[in-house]
Amino acid sequence: MQPPHHIRIGTPGKPRVVFAHGWGRTHRDFIPVAEALAPSVDAYLFDMPGFGESERPGDAWGTADYGQFMSEHLLDALGIDSCVWVGHSFGGRVGLRIGARSPGLLQHMVIVAGAGVPRDIGWGEGMKRKRSAAKFQRLKAAARDEDALIALEKQYGSPDYVAARETGMRDIFVATISEDQSDQLHKVAVPTTFIYGGADTETPPEIGRKLAAGIPQSEYIECPHYDHISILDRGRHQIALAIKEAVQGGEA
């Protein structure tokens, strides 16, 4: 498999920072933060495998596969043996895998609106979702043609699920979206900063608080009024500050 595409922003010789974007996104999400920190960091902004300009994995990878591939690439191809990992959403999931599997590689993690543990839902909502999923499967089985199937997916599926058909990433999306990393959190021996938007409905604050509670060296920061995407834009100063503090802590 080809190495993942990345761009490099910053100052060689400064502390290395690796940026990993969310599902369906690209390295471009983090360009403003990397440019703001350019005098003090050496930043690597990746298109994760299957996104942007990076080759899609041959199999239906889960986040553990992504974590193994990225850690091996950083060490073997780029010679990076210590870095700050900054991951948004899906990139946060992958970072948690690396933190549990190869903690020596990471100096610090900054997880922005990351997923990885299930949301708390009541019994009634849980039953509603199960009935909806069962109905979706019945209707899919009876769909008369491809157009009817696509219409059902748009009605019952999330935007990312629908988009994954066009990008050829549906199998990987299904493999990763339901992962529960709760039992791996205690293995993350890396200082971790969690940053979440108070108005995020995709990975709401409860997810961040759960993740932070499971990792010994963690800090949770909540930014009111920001959602899953605006946290990258309106919240970029908070992200940059967390990275700056992580880098300074590593140099101390």
Side-chain angles (χ1 to χ4, degrees):
M1 182 169 166
Q2 293 295 316
H5 170 75
H6 77 275
I7 66 170
R8 193 173 176 182
I9 296 174
T11 307
K14 294 293 185 178
R16 288 163 163 173
V17 180
V18 172
F19 290 89
H21 58 79
W23 185 270
R25 314 287 296 183
T26 73
H27 72 275
R28 294 180 179 277
D29 280 345
F30 282 119
I31 289 177
V33 173
E35 288 181 338
L37 295 172
S40 56
V41 305
D42 185 6
Y44 296 72
L45 289 69
F46 282 91
D47 284 344
M48 300 287 277
F51 302 96
E53 297 182 39
S54 291
E55 179 185 0
R56 198 213 111 110
D59 300 317
W61 278 10
T63 54
D65 301 301
Y66 272 91
Q68 179 177 347
F69 178 81
M70 290 301 298
S71 59
E72 290 177 352
H73 178 71
L74 293 176
L75 284 167
D76 299 337
L78 298 177
I80 297 176
D81 57 6
S82 179
C83 66
V84 173
W85 179 277
V86 184
H88 172 242
S89 194
F90 177 70
R93 283 183 182 262
V94 175
L96 291 173
R97 292 294 190 188
I98 298 174
R101 176 183 180 273
S102 306
L105 173 61
L106 305 184
Q107 168 189 324
H108 196 109
M109 286 193 293
V110 178
I111 306 297
V112 183
V117 295
R119 298 177 62 171
D120 291 326
I121 58 173
W123 181 86
E125 179 63 22
M127 291 301 298
K128 180 180 177 181
R129 293 186 182 189
K130 287 182 179 180
R131 287 195 294 268
S132 179
K135 182 177 181 181
F136 178 39
Q137 293 302 321
R138 289 197 303 271
L139 292 173
K140 278 179 64 178
R144 64 184 181 277
D145 54 33
E146 191 77 358
D147 289 340
L149 181 59
I150 292 173
L152 285 170
E153 290 177 351
K154 290 181 178 178
Q155 180 180 354
Y156 287 92
S158 68
D160 283 339
Y161 178 83
V162 173
R165 166 188 282 273
E166 297 180 3
T167 60
M169 294 285 284
R170 176 72 60 80
D171 55 344
I172 294 178
F173 177 79
V174 172
T176 59
I177 193 65
S178 60
E179 288 183 351
D180 182 357
Q181 297 172 230
S182 300
D183 63 349
Q184 298 292 307
L185 297 180
H186 71 282
K187 298 180 181 179
V188 179
V190 178
T192 305
T193 304
F194 292 94
I195 303 175
Y196 283 71
D200 191 340
T201 58
E202 295 185 48
T203 52
E206 69 174 85
I207 298 292
R209 289 191 287 266
K210 277 187 177 183
L211 290 170
I215 295 177
Q217 302 179 72
S218 64
E219 177 186 12
Y220 173 77
I221 299 169
E222 188 170 320
C223 301
H225 314 304
Y226 299 170
D227 61 26
H228 195 65
I229 300 301
S230 65
I231 190 72
L232 294 168
D233 179 19
R234 296 168 61 199
R236 66 186 183 278
H237 303 297
Q238 182 65 66
I239 297 171
L241 177 60
I243 296 169
K244 187 177 297 185
E245 290 177 346
V247 167
Q248 291 172 346
E251 292 179 330

